[in-house]
Amino acid sequence: MKQEEKQLRIYPVPKGAVLQEDYCLRVRSVGTEDWQELKAYRVKVDMHDVRQASMAYFDFSGRVEVEVTFPKFYTVYRVDIRPLSLGIQAQAESKRVRFVLERPVNLSVEINKDRFHNLHLFAGALEELPDQQGENVLVVSGSLEKPCFLGDDINRQLERMPEGRMLYVKPGLYYIGECIWHLPSHTHIYLEGGAVLIGGLALEQGEGLKISGRGILYLADFARFSAINGIRLNHSRNITIEGLIFINPPHYTVSLGDCEDVTLRNLKSFSCEGWSDGLDMMSCRRVLAEGCFLRTSDDCVAIYGSRWDNYGGARDIIVRNMVLWADVAHPMMIGTHGDYRHEGDVLEEILFEDIDVLEHHEFQAGYLGVMAINPGDKNLVRNVTYRNIRIEPFEHGKVLDFQVKWNPDYNPAPGRGIRKILVENVRVQSGRGEEPSVIAGYSEEFSVEDIEIRDFYRDGRKAESLEQAGITMGQYAENVRIE
């Protein structure tokens, strides 16, 4: 195998996959002459005014050069590659852009300030493909030329194999029988790059499931009120999901209900419907979400207590090394739903760390806030840390919204309170649509207490007061300090 082939892996695109042709893409390892063509998939963004953007992905090691040219209408006068914190610079000509990547990154490439027809580029680390020859491995060989089906017969074959089995899905376009594939426990589902599954996945009262690879779950053809999730996990434990791409699920990308010991790693997602959140966690314990890129038309990450048939609080949740883009609602949300019929829930020991926020665009007064803690339903939220948060200029909203609420749309009762919140090393680039942040309780009984803000920077200048940070104090808030 040639050296450059070892450093760059381009995945096949099955016939029938929905592509977008705004850009012509090529990539090559630095130091080589041969370019490889890269196809872009269509992803729909922003429920305010749904538009068609592009997404492409590949894996590499070493250094690679990316070239973007424009077959239709672009004349380049400006290029933004975000997150800006990565510091990636492009060489631009009137019809061509080139840049070099030195490590795996998830990017938005924006030409002439266009955030709605942009190119989302996911350049991943080369992974070692699982062994397909093992006796405990079932291989599904699809076709790049015509659709295939994944149905109940696959589960029957898997269930005849011992626990620890693996299903290896090769490139192709697959329709999931009856739209939702209910997975067995103690199974590894591997979706090779170039595998596109139409439909959602689910696990109920299971354990020991791993879903990984570079495959795509495509749900753009399902209507909003079908409420199909990309992946739904209920009453389950010991789960790992990593590496997958989700195109336009009408409901959540990953829905976790009453789950524990879950890892969500390097997931990429797009949504454009109401209630099409990214990662939603209801009554969950010990969850790690890291390395994801989420562009959603509702909350990117939401942490709740009891909801539907899930009961109990939430605790020990880590969200880190993420890129969050909320075309609607909150990038980070805690608190709305809980066990209002009884004493409410406690949501605690939650960490958001090393987060790049690319957008927050919401005009409804009750749903503003890049970092939002809004307990309702008698919930108490405590011991939450936000650390190393980088917020780029956004269209409209607030940086912070720490308010105990009684939201008439969702809450039969107000929340109980907010306690012991640390906000540390937040760097805000001011946008034209920013409203003042708010810290406020609901009543003397349902208050906010012990909010510590350290190293809050606005446009490169450290805020020495709440006023300089753009934070307004409401009623029933005690011991709020900034340093």
mmCIF file of all heavy atoms in Angstrom, residues 196-218:
data_model
loop_
_atom_site.group_PDB
_atom_site.id
_atom_site.type_symbol
_atom_site.label_atom_id
_atom_site.label_comp_id
_atom_site.label_asym_id
_atom_site.label_seq_id
_atom_site.Cartn_x
_atom_site.Cartn_y
_atom_site.Cartn_z
ATOM 1 N N VAL A 196 -25.024 3.937 4.848
ATOM 2 C CA VAL A 196 -26.064 4.926 5.109
ATOM 3 C C VAL A 196 -27.339 4.163 5.472
ATOM 4 O O VAL A 196 -27.878 3.428 4.643
ATOM 5 C CB VAL A 196 -26.309 5.828 3.889
ATOM 6 C CG1 VAL A 196 -27.420 6.827 4.180
ATOM 7 C CG2 VAL A 196 -25.025 6.550 3.495
ATOM 8 N N LEU A 197 -27.804 4.330 6.696
ATOM 9 C CA LEU A 197 -29.006 3.652 7.178
ATOM 10 C C LEU A 197 -30.150 4.660 7.228
ATOM 11 O O LEU A 197 -29.992 5.748 7.796
ATOM 12 C CB LEU A 197 -28.790 3.061 8.570
ATOM 13 C CG LEU A 197 -28.123 1.684 8.665
ATOM 14 C CD1 LEU A 197 -26.736 1.680 8.044
ATOM 15 C CD2 LEU A 197 -28.068 1.221 10.109
ATOM 16 N N ILE A 198 -31.287 4.287 6.634
ATOM 17 C CA ILE A 198 -32.463 5.156 6.643
ATOM 18 C C ILE A 198 -33.403 4.658 7.727
ATOM 19 O O ILE A 198 -34.043 3.617 7.597
ATOM 20 C CB ILE A 198 -33.146 5.160 5.270
ATOM 21 C CG1 ILE A 198 -32.175 5.714 4.219
ATOM 22 C CG2 ILE A 198 -34.425 5.994 5.304
ATOM 23 C CD1 ILE A 198 -32.706 5.695 2.811
ATOM 24 N N GLY A 199 -33.467 5.391 8.824
ATOM 25 C CA GLY A 199 -34.269 5.009 9.966
ATOM 26 C C GLY A 199 -33.513 5.215 11.259
ATOM 27 O O GLY A 199 -32.371 5.699 11.267
ATOM 28 N N GLY A 200 -34.146 4.871 12.387
ATOM 29 C CA GLY A 200 -33.551 5.071 13.703
ATOM 30 C C GLY A 200 -33.221 3.756 14.387
ATOM 31 O O GLY A 200 -33.665 2.681 13.971
ATOM 32 N N LEU A 201 -32.429 3.862 15.470
ATOM 33 C CA LEU A 201 -32.034 2.710 16.264
ATOM 34 C C LEU A 201 -32.588 2.868 17.674
ATOM 35 O O LEU A 201 -32.756 3.983 18.169
ATOM 36 C CB LEU A 201 -30.512 2.591 16.323
ATOM 37 C CG LEU A 201 -29.753 2.656 14.989
ATOM 38 C CD1 LEU A 201 -28.252 2.520 15.232
ATOM 39 C CD2 LEU A 201 -30.241 1.602 14.018
ATOM 40 N N ALA A 202 -32.826 1.746 18.347
ATOM 41 C CA ALA A 202 -33.396 1.809 19.691
ATOM 42 C C ALA A 202 -32.929 0.634 20.529
ATOM 43 O O ALA A 202 -32.663 -0.462 20.019
ATOM 44 C CB ALA A 202 -34.923 1.823 19.622
ATOM 45 N N LEU A 203 -32.831 0.878 21.841
ATOM 46 C CA LEU A 203 -32.555 -0.167 22.829
ATOM 47 C C LEU A 203 -33.456 0.075 24.026
ATOM 48 O O LEU A 203 -33.464 1.163 24.600
ATOM 49 C CB LEU A 203 -31.088 -0.141 23.267
ATOM 50 C CG LEU A 203 -30.689 -1.200 24.299
ATOM 51 C CD1 LEU A 203 -30.720 -2.595 23.695
ATOM 52 C CD2 LEU A 203 -29.305 -0.901 24.880
ATOM 53 N N GLU A 204 -34.214 -0.932 24.423
ATOM 54 C CA GLU A 204 -35.119 -0.842 25.564
ATOM 55 C C GLU A 204 -34.708 -1.867 26.617
ATOM 56 O O GLU A 204 -34.564 -3.058 26.312
ATOM 57 C CB GLU A 204 -36.563 -1.133 25.128
ATOM 58 C CG GLU A 204 -37.114 -0.158 24.091
ATOM 59 C CD GLU A 204 -37.613 1.122 24.703
ATOM 60 O OE1 GLU A 204 -37.710 1.190 25.943
ATOM 61 O OE2 GLU A 204 -37.914 2.068 23.926
ATOM 62 N N GLN A 205 -34.461 -1.395 27.838
ATOM 63 C CA GLN A 205 -34.133 -2.280 28.956
ATOM 64 C C GLN A 205 -32.989 -3.226 28.589
ATOM 65 O O GLN A 205 -33.058 -4.433 28.803
ATOM 66 C CB GLN A 205 -35.377 -3.063 29.391
ATOM 67 C CG GLN A 205 -36.475 -2.164 29.909
ATOM 68 C CD GLN A 205 -37.697 -2.918 30.371
ATOM 69 O OE1 GLN A 205 -37.928 -4.055 29.976
ATOM 70 N NE2 GLN A 205 -38.491 -2.291 31.234
ATOM 71 N N GLY A 206 -31.937 -2.639 28.035
ATOM 72 C CA GLY A 206 -30.796 -3.434 27.582
ATOM 73 C C GLY A 206 -29.509 -3.010 28.243
ATOM 74 O O GLY A 206 -29.465 -2.085 29.071
ATOM 75 N N GLU A 207 -28.431 -3.684 27.849
ATOM 76 C CA GLU A 207 -27.119 -3.358 28.390
ATOM 77 C C GLU A 207 -26.037 -3.896 27.455
ATOM 78 O O GLU A 207 -26.293 -4.746 26.601
ATOM 79 C CB GLU A 207 -26.948 -3.972 29.779
ATOM 80 C CG GLU A 207 -27.001 -5.480 29.817
ATOM 81 C CD GLU A 207 -26.855 -6.036 31.227
ATOM 82 O OE1 GLU A 207 -26.647 -5.244 32.156
ATOM 83 O OE2 GLU A 207 -26.940 -7.266 31.379
ATOM 84 N N GLY A 208 -24.841 -3.345 27.636
ATOM 85 C CA GLY A 208 -23.692 -3.856 26.908
ATOM 86 C C GLY A 208 -23.766 -3.654 25.419
ATOM 87 O O GLY A 208 -23.328 -4.516 24.643
ATOM 88 N N LEU A 209 -24.293 -2.499 24.967
ATOM 89 C CA LEU A 209 -24.398 -2.209 23.538
ATOM 90 C C LEU A 209 -23.334 -1.192 23.136
ATOM 91 O O LEU A 209 -23.129 -0.193 23.817
ATOM 92 C CB LEU A 209 -25.783 -1.650 23.212
ATOM 93 C CG LEU A 209 -26.010 -1.214 21.755
ATOM 94 C CD1 LEU A 209 -25.992 -2.404 20.814
ATOM 95 C CD2 LEU A 209 -27.322 -0.443 21.623
ATOM 96 N N LYS A 210 -22.701 -1.460 21.996
ATOM 97 C CA LYS A 210 -21.777 -0.493 21.398
ATOM 98 C C LYS A 210 -22.179 -0.290 19.940
ATOM 99 O O LYS A 210 -22.416 -1.264 19.210
ATOM 100 C CB LYS A 210 -20.334 -0.978 21.476
ATOM 101 C CG LYS A 210 -19.321 0.007 20.879
ATOM 102 C CD LYS A 210 -17.889 -0.478 21.058
ATOM 103 C CE LYS A 210 -16.892 0.532 20.509
ATOM 104 N NZ LYS A 210 -15.479 0.090 20.702
ATOM 105 N N ILE A 211 -22.282 0.977 19.537
ATOM 106 C CA ILE A 211 -22.547 1.332 18.140
ATOM 107 C C ILE A 211 -21.440 2.280 17.718
ATOM 108 O O ILE A 211 -21.253 3.334 18.330
ATOM 109 C CB ILE A 211 -23.914 2.015 17.969
ATOM 110 C CG1 ILE A 211 -25.028 1.226 18.667
ATOM 111 C CG2 ILE A 211 -24.237 2.182 16.490
ATOM 112 C CD1 ILE A 211 -26.349 1.964 18.718
ATOM 113 N N SER A 212 -20.689 1.919 16.693
ATOM 114 C CA SER A 212 -19.538 2.744 16.325
ATOM 115 C C SER A 212 -19.316 2.695 14.823
ATOM 116 O O SER A 212 -20.008 1.993 14.089
ATOM 117 C CB SER A 212 -18.287 2.277 17.074
ATOM 118 O OG SER A 212 -17.885 0.988 16.636
ATOM 119 N N GLY A 213 -18.323 3.444 14.377
ATOM 120 C CA GLY A 213 -17.953 3.465 12.973
ATOM 121 C C GLY A 213 -18.054 4.851 12.388
ATOM 122 O O GLY A 213 -18.086 5.862 13.101
ATOM 123 N N ARG A 214 -18.105 4.905 11.082
ATOM 124 C CA ARG A 214 -18.198 6.172 10.356
ATOM 125 C C ARG A 214 -19.471 6.225 9.512
ATOM 126 O O ARG A 214 -19.561 6.992 8.564
ATOM 127 C CB ARG A 214 -16.973 6.347 9.456
ATOM 128 C CG ARG A 214 -15.651 6.481 10.206
ATOM 129 C CD ARG A 214 -15.599 7.768 11.008
ATOM 130 N NE ARG A 214 -14.281 7.996 11.569
ATOM 131 C CZ ARG A 214 -13.924 7.666 12.798
ATOM 132 N NH1 ARG A 214 -14.806 7.072 13.609
ATOM 133 N NH2 ARG A 214 -12.710 7.921 13.242
ATOM 134 N N GLY A 215 -20.457 5.410 9.862
ATOM 135 C CA GLY A 215 -21.686 5.367 9.092
ATOM 136 C C GLY A 215 -22.600 6.543 9.363
ATOM 137 O O GLY A 215 -22.387 7.345 10.286
ATOM 138 N N ILE A 216 -23.658 6.643 8.565
ATOM 139 C CA ILE A 216 -24.617 7.743 8.620
ATOM 140 C C ILE A 216 -26.001 7.181 8.912
ATOM 141 O O ILE A 216 -26.416 6.185 8.312
ATOM 142 C CB ILE A 216 -24.638 8.509 7.285
ATOM 143 C CG1 ILE A 216 -23.294 9.224 7.056
ATOM 144 C CG2 ILE A 216 -25.784 9.521 7.244
ATOM 145 C CD1 ILE A 216 -23.170 9.869 5.687
ATOM 146 N N LEU A 217 -26.715 7.826 9.827
ATOM 147 C CA LEU A 217 -28.143 7.587 10.001
ATOM 148 C C LEU A 217 -28.875 8.740 9.327
ATOM 149 O O LEU A 217 -28.754 9.903 9.738
ATOM 150 C CB LEU A 217 -28.520 7.497 11.471
ATOM 151 C CG LEU A 217 -27.978 6.283 12.233
ATOM 152 C CD1 LEU A 217 -28.452 6.305 13.678
ATOM 153 C CD2 LEU A 217 -28.404 4.986 11.572
ATOM 154 N N TYR A 218 -29.640 8.413 8.288
ATOM 155 C CA TYR A 218 -30.307 9.426 7.464
ATOM 156 C C TYR A 218 -31.802 9.394 7.772
ATOM 157 O O TYR A 218 -32.468 8.369 7.568
ATOM 158 C CB TYR A 218 -30.057 9.152 5.981
ATOM 159 C CG TYR A 218 -30.685 10.150 5.055
ATOM 160 C CD1 TYR A 218 -30.035 11.351 4.759
ATOM 161 C CD2 TYR A 218 -31.921 9.916 4.473
ATOM 162 C CE1 TYR A 218 -30.602 12.281 3.910
ATOM 163 C CE2 TYR A 218 -32.505 10.841 3.620
ATOM 164 C CZ TYR A 218 -31.847 12.022 3.341
ATOM 165 O OH TYR A 218 -32.407 12.947 2.505
#
